[in-house]
């Protein structure tokens, strides 16, 4: 009985993993509903519009806002070191599931879709260089790959913008559970970038929570010669998370 139950549970898990992979990876079908897509688009129009778009947000840090405003209260009190943030999607529902499949399930098609959604929604002048947020060594060992570098390479390929690596000067404790002030202190001075950056750069990460990590990396980029620093995140956590 125990062997039969274990086999059934394993079979169910395998079916679930296969279903998730097919939903993200089947060409010519929507990655979210599996419906047919025009011109081999990775999504259908209905699912694209239904995604949790971060359309009402702070211009400086991309925090989702209840009503239109130029800056959120946090940025009015303590502005981050980057000039502007671009995080087109909120970290919830379909995009949360997609990012978790990429980040924790190591599904490359999910990462490609995240980067494609970002590239499709971005506007304005492209930066001269992309800089990946260095993943904490412990997280990198746990997942088996550096998800931020992976996304940066994919955006580099899609947008035709070169990318650079950054380094952690010290291993910092996880940011989970820390207050906004504690997060800033935790990563202050934690990064280093080669000192020949062009004037306009964009930092790339998967999800932005308070922006503290991206702000600390922006400081390092300014020390390396950057003048205008953008913070790019595939998703942004809603307020209060």
């Amino acid at each position: 009985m125990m062997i039969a139950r274990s086999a059934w549970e394993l079979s169910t898990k395998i079916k679930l993993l296969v279903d998730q992979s097919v939903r993200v990876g089947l060409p010519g079908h929507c990655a979210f509903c599996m419906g047919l897509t025009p011109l081999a688009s990775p999504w259908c129009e209905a699912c694209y519009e239904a995604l949790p778009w971060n359309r009402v947000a702070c211009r400086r840090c991309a925090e989702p806002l209840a009503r239109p405003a130029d800056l959120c209260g946090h940025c009015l009190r303590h502005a981050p070191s980057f000039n502007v943030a671009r995080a087109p999607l909120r970290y919830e529902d379909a995009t949360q599931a997609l990012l978790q499949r990429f980040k924790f399930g190591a599904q490359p098609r999910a990462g490609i879709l995240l980067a494609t959604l970002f590239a499709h929604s971005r506007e304005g002048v492209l930066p001269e260089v992309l800089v990946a947020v260095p993943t904490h060594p412990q997280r990198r060992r746990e997942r088996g790959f550096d998800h931020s570098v992976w996304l940066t390479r994919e955006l580099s390929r899609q947008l035709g913008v070169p990318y650079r690596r950054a380094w952690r000067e010290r291993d910092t404790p996880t940011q989970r559970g820390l207050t906004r002030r504690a997060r800033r202190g935790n990563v202050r001075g934690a990064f280093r970038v080669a000192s020949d950056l062009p004037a306009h750069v964009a930092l790339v990460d998967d999800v932005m929570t308070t922006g503290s990590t991206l702000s600390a990396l922006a400081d390092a980029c300014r020390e390396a010669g950057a003048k205008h620093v953008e913070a790019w995140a595939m998703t942004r956590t809603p307020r209060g998370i």
Side-chain angles (χ1 to χ4, degrees):
M1 181 67 71
M2 288 296 293
I3 294 174
R5 180 175 178 81
S6 297
W8 178 83
E9 289 176 347
L10 180 60
S11 175
T12 301
K13 289 179 181 178
I14 291 173
K15 287 178 181 177
L16 180 61
L17 288 171
V18 170
D19 177 67
Q20 290 174 342
S21 298
V22 168
R23 283 184 174 275
V24 174
L26 191 61
H29 292 74
C30 175
F32 302 101
C33 73
M34 289 294 291
L36 293 174
T37 57
L39 301 175
S41 169
W43 52 68
C44 70
E45 193 63 31
C47 286
Y48 183 81
E49 289 300 320
L51 289 172
W53 293 102
N54 188 24
R55 293 189 173 115
V56 182
C58 171
R59 174 184 57 79
R60 189 70 181 262
C61 75
E63 181 174 34
L65 299 176
R67 59 185 65 87
D70 190 42
L71 297 175
C72 69
H74 295 301
C75 287
L76 287 171
R77 293 191 300 272
H78 193 285
S81 296
F82 47 80
N83 298 86
V84 65
R86 306 184 190 282
L89 292 157
R90 298 191 305 276
Y91 181 67
E92 58 188 34
D93 303 330
T95 51
Q96 181 178 1
L98 188 64
L99 195 145
Q100 288 179 348
R101 288 201 293 271
F102 164 66
K103 193 171 180 177
F104 303 111
Q107 295 186 16
R109 292 290 297 179
I112 291 172
L113 185 56
L114 282 167
T116 304
L117 284 166
F118 183 94
H120 188 266
S121 62
R122 70 157 306 282
E123 299 174 342
V125 178
L126 285 170
E128 297 167 87
V129 161
L130 305 179
V131 179
V133 173
T135 301
H136 191 286
Q138 180 61 31
R139 305 289 90 76
R140 190 166 61 244
R141 285 192 292 270
E142 290 171 356
R143 296 168 192 144
F145 76 117
D146 192 320
H147 62 279
S148 294
V149 169
W150 196 101
L151 285 170
T152 305
R153 286 175 175 166
E154 180 59 25
L155 281 172
S156 173
R157 183 187 69 81
Q158 292 193 27
L159 299 174
V161 178
Y163 75 94
R164 298 276 190 89
R165 297 288 294 265
W167 298 270
R168 283 184 178 261
E169 291 284 76
R170 55 186 174 82
D171 290 346
T172 57
T174 179
Q175 297 277 72
R176 281 198 198 104
L178 298 181
T179 65
R180 187 178 293 263
R181 177 178 293 182
R183 282 172 179 257
R184 288 200 301 267
N186 188 39
V187 292
R188 186 176 292 118
F191 304 112
R192 177 173 60 87
V193 186
S195 59
D196 57 347
L197 284 180
H200 186 186
V201 304
L203 318 180
V204 180
D205 206 357
D206 61 328
V207 58
M208 186 190 304
T209 303
T210 65
S212 300
T213 299
L214 286 157
S215 186
L217 181 55
D219 285 333
C221 287
R222 292 190 185 282
E223 292 176 5
K227 304 299 181 187
H228 182 84
V229 183
E230 298 184 18
W232 289 6
M234 307 303 103
T235 63
R236 183 64 154 89
T237 56
R239 302 182 75 181
I241 294 181

